[in-house]
Amino acid sequence: MELILWRHAEAAPGDLDAARPLTPHGHRQAEAMARFLDPRLPMDVRVIVSPARRTQETARALGRAAETVEALAPGCDGARLLAAAGWPESPQVVLVVGHQPTLGEVAARLVDGRSGAWALGTGSVCWLESRPRKGRSEAVVLASIEAEVLMRGAS
């Protein structure tokens, strides 16, 4: 299974966390990452998205069908995220558009087998693959990239 963890792009501050929109810079981050991801994703990728506005707007930049999953709301725990994605058994590539620290916690747990969280910047992606090893599933990082890197030199 391949699991892609995409942190929402830069969002505006606000009192209602779930209603925070992307900033203009955040829209550019989402569009840059979408341009990177789109040609690399299979046609049948399953895109699951937190109900928060900023994640919805980030996912929309990809232009693919997406499923809103309440279990991915801000503050969700890693176990719920992995269950929603079907890790590690899903036959599909699954793209999760969500939040820190949950995405970073999932990456650290799967790759390093420890608690804590990897720092994932706004709009960044961590692409993982499940591989069998010694009778169990092991996660391998296929790619990890920040939106800001993709935006360098872009006008």
Side-chain angles (χ1 to χ4, degrees), residues 7-118:
R7 183 180 176 193
H8 67 79
E10 181 184 88
D15 292 332
L16 296 174
D17 186 53
R20 293 171 47 217
L22 294 184
T23 64
H25 183 74
H27 281 286
R28 289 190 299 276
Q29 287 177 320
E31 290 162 6
M33 188 58 72
R35 282 191 304 273
F36 172 81
L37 287 171
D38 190 52
R40 292 165 175 83
L41 294 172
M43 293 306 296
D44 68 342
V45 64
R46 179 177 175 227
V47 181
I48 58 176
V49 186
S50 157
R53 179 176 174 182
R54 60 194 178 274
T55 53
Q56 296 287 318
E57 290 179 0
T58 298
R60 199 169 300 127
L62 190 58
R64 303 235 189 162
E67 172 189 351
T68 300
V69 177
E70 293 295 325
L72 301 177
C76 78
D77 66 49
R80 291 185 72 183
L81 184 149
L82 291 171
W87 177 270
E89 295 86 18
S90 176
Q92 282 183 290
V93 173
V94 178
L95 171 61
V96 177
V97 185
H99 309 272
Q100 274 293 88
T102 307
L103 297 177
E105 290 168 356
V106 166
R109 176 176 154 197
L110 293 179
V111 176
D112 296 335
R114 62 181 172 82
S115 61
W118 287 6

